[in-house]
Amino acid sequence: MSVRPVLGAAAGSALLLLGFAAAAPSPASAAHSAPSAPSESVTVDAEGRMADGAVTLSGTYRCRGGDGPVFVSSSVGRSSSDPHYSGGDGTRAVCDGEEHRWENTETVPENALEAGRAHVEATLVELRPGGVLLLPAVHAVGHRDITLVED
């Protein structure tokens, strides 16, 4: 039996484990990214707007500083178990400990959503440097059943 395949598999496994170790949060960063941190939050307004095939969602957020850029992303679906449609690229967050407004607009497929009840998830996420990659670190998550209104 050749040693090369065994060494190749061992090296690949080591790299994979190193990747997982780099992605795992340290105890200090885990506390920083905990969704229940009282100084960090994201909310969703009770009403979303629909116009010309686009959905606009909004709310508020509060966050502290981070090591990388922070965004408020959002998604909307007819219910919490239905497919959700992303709210675009997200809103760049200012993490100064103060409360700020966010608003995301995204075009959705025709007939994917209709006026009435919908479920929204908003996430305050930081893109932290992790070697070659930027790794997502969730600061807060908010869920809300809303009403979509045609403009």
Side-chain angles (χ1 to χ4, degrees), residues 43-50 54-59 72-77 84-88 91 101-106 108 113 118-122 144 146-148:
T43 68
V44 178
D45 290 342
E47 189 174 280
R49 298 183 315 275
M50 296 177 59
V55 174
T56 300
L57 306 169
S58 58
V72 179
S73 65
S74 59
S75 63
V76 61
H84 275 63
Y85 301 94
S86 170
T91 299
R101 299 276 313 152
W102 65 268
E103 183 176 283
N104 295 339
T105 300
E106 178 66 21
V108 296
L113 297 171
H119 183 79
V120 174
E121 177 179 295
R144 185 169 193 175
I146 68 162
T147 302
L148 288 175

Side-chain angles (χ1 to χ4, degrees), residues 58-146:
S58 58
T60 64
Y61 71 90
R62 179 187 313 264
C63 58
R64 294 176 281 129
D67 296 327
V70 180
F71 296 89
V72 179
S73 65
S74 59
S75 63
V76 61
R78 293 182 188 188
S79 73
S80 60
S81 61
D82 282 347
H84 275 63
Y85 301 94
S86 170
D89 293 334
T91 299
R92 179 76 186 255
V94 177
C95 292
D96 59 5
E98 299 297 318
E99 185 173 271
H100 298 276
R101 299 276 313 152
W102 65 268
E103 183 176 283
N104 295 339
T105 300
E106 178 66 21
T107 302
V108 296
E110 189 174 340
N111 299 320
L113 297 171
E114 57 192 33
R117 284 190 55 151
H119 183 79
V120 174
E121 177 179 295
T123 307
L124 188 60
V125 63
E126 175 183 353
L127 299 177
R128 289 187 183 161
V132 178
L133 302 174
L134 292 175
L135 303 174
V138 175
H139 286 244
V141 177
H143 295 267
R144 185 169 193 175
D145 288 328
I146 68 162

Side-chain angles (χ1 to χ4, degrees), residues 21-48:
S26 67
S29 67
H32 177 68
S33 65
S36 62
S39 62
E40 298 191 317
S41 63
V42 61
T43 68
V44 178
D45 290 342
E47 189 174 280

